[in-house]
């Protein structure tokens, strides 16, 4: 990317019967957003026209056939499909799942080709999007397959960052999925992303225990004693500032989380319940560990308010801001790293 170029933010439209299209349009109804980036939405001119009229959102757009044709200072809509789509706000339909996948597939393809710089995904329904082509528990696993890398769900705000050892895994399967190898891999991803994407040179990372009270020395489960503690000790010996395991029930309420750059939770609800309680509406889901930058809002399709002009778009707008910041941080990190390698090469 050339210096001075606007970052192209690709947007997958999500489930058309949910609030995704509303929060996307509301975000870019503010024309000041065009000063920060060039939005490229993967949907269709017919669909966007219908939704903006239905919700009375005043936004002009430029219809294009390929993401490579995106025009700066315009709200660009790639015509992924040409036909009329039946939109039934608030309903889960197979048709909405089909078009959510078509949008995501096209946006991911454009990201891989370099036509867009960042991907921001509007919420999907994880049930109706399932098909022969999409057999994943969510965006994260699909993008890991398409983009390469070891993905990690990383929920972020300015003051709180929570990563997960296991994400969309049934509670009954959590302990069996947590191995020394998984812990080392996930903490490695978090350490690297804090350095390259958030400019933190020596990140301090806290890890929550798997069991209540981190197992109480083996009284409430042996996983923390036999797996978590020795693995964290090994990671500390490698030079990383990793602490824990901490008892999850008191960690956030006590304010202890403020002493760390990131927190690693053992499973989905252990991390996301406190995260969303502390930051709902401002949090962003960032997929760390990928070769490209992907963010999303911290909420779902919200069928119950879809089509009623009630959706709060601030989490989606924050996801756009975060995607831009992370992209620039990663560019700077890569440039600095290359310069260091060049200097070392000259000395040799």
């Amino acid at each position: 990317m050339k210096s001075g170029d606007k970052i192209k933010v690709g947007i997958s439209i999500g489930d058309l019967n949910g609030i995704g299209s509303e929060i996307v349009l509301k975000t870019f109804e503010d024309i000041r957003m065009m000063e920060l980036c060039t939005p490229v939405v993967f949907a269709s001119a017919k669909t966007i026209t219908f939704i903006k009229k239905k919700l009375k959102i005043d936004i002009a757009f430029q219809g294009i056939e390929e993401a490579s044709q995106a025009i700066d200072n315009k709200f660009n809509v790639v015509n992924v499909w040409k036909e009329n789509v039946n939109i039934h706000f608030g309903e889960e339909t197979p048709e909405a799942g089909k078009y959510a996948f078509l949008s995501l597939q096209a946006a991911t393809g454009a990201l891989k080709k370099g036509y867009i710089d960042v991907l921001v995904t509007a919420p999907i329904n994880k049930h109706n999007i399932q098909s022969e082509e999409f057999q994943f528990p969510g965006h994260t696993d699909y993008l890991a397959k398409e983009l390469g890398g070891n993905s990690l769900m990383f929920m972020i705000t300015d003051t709180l960052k929570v990563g997960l050892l296991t994400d969309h895994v049934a509670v009954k399967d959590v302990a069996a999925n947590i191995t020394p190898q998984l812990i080392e891999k996930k903490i490695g991803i978090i350490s690297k992303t804090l350095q390259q994407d958030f400019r933190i040179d020596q990140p301090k990372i806290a890890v929550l225990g798997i069991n209540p009270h981190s197992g109480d020395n083996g009284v409430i489960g042996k996983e923390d004693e036999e797996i978590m503690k020795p693995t964290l000790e090994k990671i500390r010996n490698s030079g990383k500032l990793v602490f824990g395991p901490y008892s999850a029930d008191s960690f956030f309420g006590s304010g202890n989380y403020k002493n760390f750059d990131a927190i690693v939770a053992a499973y989905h609800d252990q991390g996301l319940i406190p995260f969303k309680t502390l930051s709902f509406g401002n949090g962003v889901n960032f997929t760390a560990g990928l070769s490209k930058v992907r963010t999303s809002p911290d909420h779902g399709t919200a069928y119950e308010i879809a089509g009623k002009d009630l959706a709060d778009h601030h989490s989606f707008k924050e996801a756009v801001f975060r995607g831009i910041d992370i992209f620039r941080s990663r560019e700077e990190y890569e440039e600095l790293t290359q310069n260091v390698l060049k200097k070392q090469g000259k000395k040799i």
Side-chain angles (χ1 to χ4, degrees):
M1 185 175 179
K2 296 177 183 177
S3 178
D5 285 355
K6 280 190 178 177
I7 292 175
K8 289 182 170 59
V9 175
I11 299 162
S12 59
I13 201 65
D15 190 304
L16 291 169
N17 293 341
I19 63 169
S21 51
E22 180 180 342
I23 59 177
V24 171
L25 294 177
K26 282 182 173 178
T27 293
F28 289 99
E29 188 177 24
D30 182 351
I31 60 172
R32 292 174 298 179
M33 293 295 291
M34 305 298 176
E35 298 171 12
L36 299 175
C37 65
T38 298
V40 185
V41 179
F42 293 82
S44 82
K46 287 181 180 179
T47 299
I48 295 300
T49 297
F50 171 82
I51 293 168
K52 62 176 281 200
K53 285 182 178 178
K54 168 71 176 175
L55 297 173
K56 297 181 175 60
I57 297 175
D58 183 20
I59 184 170
F61 68 86
Q62 177 75 34
I64 56 178
E65 298 307 309
E66 294 285 345
S68 59
Q69 300 169 347
I71 302 169
D72 285 346
N73 303 313
K74 299 285 186 182
F75 184 76
N76 298 274
V77 177
V78 179
N79 283 301
V80 179
W81 57 84
K82 300 292 178 65
E83 66 273 17
N84 289 313
V85 178
N86 294 314
I87 296 176
H88 302 284
F89 287 117
E91 297 181 21
E92 178 185 331
T93 65
E95 189 175 24
K98 169 190 169 183
Y99 287 102
F101 175 67
L102 288 175
S103 174
L104 177 61
Q105 184 183 47
T108 304
L111 188 64
K112 289 161 76 171
K113 292 175 182 175
Y115 295 156
I116 57 175
D117 302 306
V118 172
L119 173 60
V120 183
T121 59
I124 58 171
N125 178 314
K126 295 179 179 65
H127 178 253
N128 70 2
I129 197 173
Q130 298 298 320
S131 67
E132 288 186 6
E133 294 178 286
F134 190 98
Q135 297 181 26
F136 304 91
H139 283 111
T140 303
D141 298 276
Y142 171 78
L143 292 168
K145 175 180 174 293
E146 291 295 317
L147 300 175
N150 294 309
S151 65
L152 176 134
M153 184 185 291
F154 203 36
M155 307 299 293
I156 60 174
T157 67
D158 282 336
T159 57
L160 178 60
K161 295 175 178 61
V162 177
L164 305 178
L165 291 179
T166 64
D167 42 53
H168 295 122
V169 173
V171 173
K172 66 181 179 64
D173 299 324
V174 167
N177 275 271
I178 296 177
T179 63
Q181 294 77 18
L182 179 75
I183 296 167
E184 288 185 59
K185 181 174 78 171
K186 296 292 186 178
I187 290 178
I189 294 169
I190 288 177
S191 180
K192 183 177 179 181
T193 200
L194 289 170
Q195 291 173 321
Q196 75 169 10
D197 298 330
F198 297 95
R199 303 185 180 100
I200 301 171
D201 290 334
Q202 290 185 303
K204 290 175 62 181
I205 301 169
V207 182
L208 303 183
I210 301 168
N211 295 299
H213 307 295
S214 298
D216 263 346
N217 295 314
V219 176
I220 312 173
K222 298 186 182 302
E223 291 84 0
D224 292 286
E225 289 296 318
E226 296 179 356
I227 298 172
M228 184 67 80
K229 288 182 181 180
T231 305
L232 295 186
E233 183 65 24
K234 179 183 176 183
I235 294 170
R236 279 192 287 272
N237 290 337
S238 74
K240 290 185 174 65
L241 300 178
V242 177
F243 303 86
Y246 291 98
S247 180
D249 62 346
S250 60
F251 185 81
F252 292 94
S254 66
N256 196 15
Y257 71 93
K258 297 175 183 177
N259 297 316
F260 300 94
D261 298 304
I263 297 94
V264 183
Y267 57 93
H268 187 278
D269 284 10
Q270 187 191 62
L272 267 64
I273 287 174
F275 179 86
K276 291 189 177 184
T277 300
L278 292 167
S279 63
F280 196 79
N282 295 306
V284 170
N285 179 3
F286 165 51
T287 306
L290 298 181
S291 59
K292 303 286 187 179
V293 177
R294 175 260 173 167
T295 61
S296 71
D298 68 352
H299 57 74
T301 56
Y303 284 145
E304 66 277 8
I305 61 170
K308 299 177 182 178
D309 192 26
L310 297 174
D312 186 337
H313 64 286
H314 287 96
S315 181
F316 185 86
K317 180 181 275 191
E318 189 65 25
V320 174
F321 291 152
R322 288 288 177 175
I324 293 169
D325 288 344
I326 292 168
F327 180 82
R328 292 204 184 282
S329 293
R330 191 172 291 189
E331 274 197 324
E332 289 175 11
Y333 179 84
E334 289 175 357
E335 186 178 341
L336 288 170
T337 303
Q338 288 172 1
N339 287 341
V340 168
L341 290 174
K342 285 178 183 176
K343 288 179 180 178
Q344 290 176 341
K346 285 179 182 178
K347 288 179 182 178
I348 294 169

